Amino acid sequence: MDESTLERFRARLLQMRAELLTTDDTARDAARPVTLDQSSVGRVSRMDAMQVQAMAVAAQQRRALQMRGIETALARIDAGEFGVCQSCGEDIDPRRLEFDPTAALCIACASAREKR
């Protein structure tokens, strides 16, 4: 992969990381534990708040997973391994990388892993 393409992917990954960090900062409050003081919050409202809190925690975990993928992809760029399947060593289809620049596996290896 040529240097300008790698730099384009690096810029995109850095932008994705910045967006995740911004989202994580704004969503942090929603993931805080719900207070169980029934005098200030009714039972149904508290249940709703607990559901919202659980969804926020799940979203926070997904963002952490995405962040690890981004950091790993940036490390692969630095190591000269970006765009190469981590399993078979073949080049990853550029269309796959355009769709998901964090992809570490080619379609065939990703499909095989999913089947297991």
Side-chain angles (χ1 to χ4, degrees):
M1 197 171 291
D2 66 49
E3 196 63 33
S4 66
T5 303
L6 286 175
E7 286 308 311
R8 185 172 51 83
F9 278 116
R10 180 189 307 279
R12 184 166 168 210
L13 288 162
L14 291 172
Q15 178 184 4
M16 290 168 65
R17 181 173 65 183
E19 290 170 2
L20 272 178
L21 290 172
T22 300
T23 302
D24 201 42
D25 286 344
T26 58
R28 200 173 311 271
D29 287 340
R32 287 201 175 124
V34 176
T35 58
L36 298 177
D37 181 12
Q38 275 193 325
S39 64
S40 65
V41 179
R43 189 175 72 130
V44 173
S45 296
R46 192 175 71 248
M47 288 171 45
D48 287 342
M50 289 170 64
Q51 183 179 16
V52 167
Q53 187 254 351
M55 290 187 311
V57 167
Q60 193 173 33
Q61 291 169 341
R62 282 191 304 276
R63 284 190 302 275
L65 185 61
Q66 289 174 319
M67 185 63 77
R68 280 194 298 274
I70 291 168
E71 295 298 337
T72 303
L74 288 168
R76 285 195 308 273
I77 289 174
D78 292 340
E81 299 169 359
F82 184 80
V84 177
C85 178
Q86 299 283 295
S87 182
C88 69
E90 295 294 320
D91 287 343
I92 298 173
D93 188 324
R95 294 173 296 182
R96 178 167 170 76
L97 292 172
E98 286 295 334
F99 180 76
D100 180 9
T102 65
L105 301 174
C106 67
I107 292 285
C109 291
S111 295
R113 182 172 283 179
E114 255 183 41
K115 289 178 183 175
R116 286 188 238 144

